Amino acid sequence: MINKGYLTAKTNKESDEVYTPEYAVKPILEYIDKGNKKSYTIWCPFDKEDSNFVKLIREEGHKVICSHIDDGKNFFYYEPEEYYDYIISNPPFSIKDDIIKRLYELDKPYAVLMPLNVLQGQKRFKYLKDIEILVFDKRINYLKDINGKKEIQKGVSFASIYLCRNFLPKELIMKELNIY
Ligand SMILES: C[S@@+](CC[C@H](N)C(=O)[O-])C[C@H]1O[C@@H](n2cnc3c(N)ncnc32)[C@H](O)[C@@H]1O
């Protein structure tokens, strides 16, 4: 039998327990507003209240619904009851195939951080139809919780991109990452 335990439980992968620095959230904010509405509703499905996605998207004047597996809201089973416009977050990379499939099935515009190598892979390829990507000149160093304090982990070994669907105005956008 295929082990699908990770769909019901937390992955427990240490590499998944990382947090996104503000400088990596900022570049996606300008693409949220592309219609006539002043304020959109964004679902951040891998986020608690202290997430920089939640904080910075709210600061832009949008409404944020955040959910996290620790609060019993598993992305593979939970979806907000109220209407939302976009999904934006940084999901656990170790289960990226299943996340991309679920995003495809939810069929909502999305922008999620992913490692660059997400672009190739037989299992996920069919769910990557119609994607757009935002590529950076630099790598993103994520934050880790060290004794209750979020600290930057330098020297990350992979590049990150925003994988998007029905979100960016064109298929490929190259952007300089302003690290501060
Ligand atoms: C890469 S971290 C990013 C956290 C936050 N989104 C940020 O960017 O700072 C991914 C988070 O998703 C949580 N997670 C893992 N599996 C999940 C699931 N099935 N549903 C919801 N959250 C999950 C992990 O515990 C982890 O905190």
Side-chain angles (χ1 to χ4, degrees):
M1 207 173 96
I2 303 168
N3 181 1
K4 288 270 175 189
Y6 54 84
L7 295 181
T8 49
K10 196 161 158 166
T11 63
N12 276 331
K13 281 245 175 169
E14 210 195 311
S15 56
D16 286 337
E17 232 34 73
V18 293
Y19 309 94
T20 311
E22 283 191 11
Y23 72 77
V25 175
K26 283 237 162 101
I28 203 68
L29 298 176
E30 72 177 273
Y31 300 106
I32 294 177
D33 191 357
K34 59 186 176 197
N36 296 324
K37 282 207 269 181
K38 271 205 177 126
S39 167
Y40 289 86
T41 301
I42 319 291
W43 177 26
C44 297
F46 304 95
D47 298 78
K48 299 182 182 177
E49 288 290 333
D50 63 353
S51 150
N52 282 325
F53 280 100
V54 175
K55 194 179 118 200
L56 294 183
I57 294 170
R58 277 194 187 137
E59 277 176 20
E60 290 287 296
H62 302 295
K63 178 174 177 184
V64 176
I65 305 166
C66 62
S67 58
H68 192 279
I69 196 160
D70 285 352
D71 303 320
K73 291 172 177 167
N74 185 331
F75 177 63
F76 296 103
Y77 300 99
Y78 170 80
E79 187 183 11
E81 277 174 23
E82 66 181 287
Y83 176 85
Y84 60 93
D85 297 287
Y86 304 115
I87 297 171
I88 304 177
S89 193
N90 174 3
F93 293 172
S94 72
I95 50 171
K96 56 182 173 304
D97 280 352
D98 296 286
I99 286 180
I100 289 165
K101 180 172 183 279
R102 171 89 169 129
L103 285 167
Y104 185 86
E105 288 166 353
L106 285 165
D107 201 23
K108 281 281 188 168
Y110 70 75
V112 291
L113 280 167
M114 280 282 164
L116 178 60
N117 70 5
V118 75
L119 296 175
Q120 189 178 45
Q122 288 188 44
K123 202 174 157 202
R124 55 185 172 264
F125 205 67
K126 60 177 175 244
Y127 303 114
L128 293 174
K129 266 186 276 165
D130 313 322
I131 54 154
E132 306 109 30
I133 56 172
L134 175 58
V135 181
F136 300 113
D137 61 331
K138 304 176 198 77
R139 294 180 180 179
I140 296 170
N141 283 306
Y142 293 97
L143 301 156
K144 243 194 162 0
D145 193 320
I146 313 279
N147 301 324
K149 218 176 136 220
K150 291 200 172 127
E151 290 181 14
I152 284 275
Q153 297 297 289
K154 290 225 169 104
V156 65
S157 61
F158 58 88
S160 300
I161 59 167
Y162 273 99
L163 179 75
C164 308
R165 195 159 169 257
N166 296 323
F167 193 89
L168 296 178
K170 53 184 189 166
E171 285 176 346
L172 173 64
I173 299 180
M174 311 276 288
K175 221 175 167 58
E176 283 179 20
L177 196 58
N178 181 14
I179 298 180
Y180 54 88

